[in-house]
Amino acid sequence: MTEYNKVTPEFVDKLRAIVGEQYVYTDGETLDKYKTDEETDERCFHLRKSQL
């Protein structure tokens, strides 16, 4: 399974600076809705509150 880096607050800040605040979602409800892109294996779902 592929390993990914954690999404840090610094990364989120840089992303906001690039694309704009209105396009960066970090709330749990939105993240849960988009936690996968047609992936069906739940082992690949990694939504953790500590990463928000």
Side-chain angles (χ1 to χ4, degrees):
M1 188 177 304
T2 303
E3 298 224 4
Y4 297 97
N5 295 325
K6 291 185 177 182
V7 176
T8 64
E10 294 81 15
F11 177 81
V12 174
D13 290 342
K14 289 178 183 179
L15 187 60
R16 285 183 176 125
I18 294 168
V19 301
E21 178 79 27
Q22 70 272 25
Y23 300 110
V24 179
Y25 301 98
T26 59
D27 64 282
E29 184 178 335
T30 302
L31 294 178
D32 188 53
K33 187 168 39 171
Y34 294 105
K35 67 183 169 189
T36 180
D37 54 351
E38 298 186 28
E39 173 61 59
T40 57
D41 184 350
E42 290 193 15
R43 294 177 300 166
C44 296
F45 301 166
H46 299 286
L47 179 61
R48 297 183 192 142
K49 291 181 189 261
S50 63
Q51 292 179 300
L52 303 180

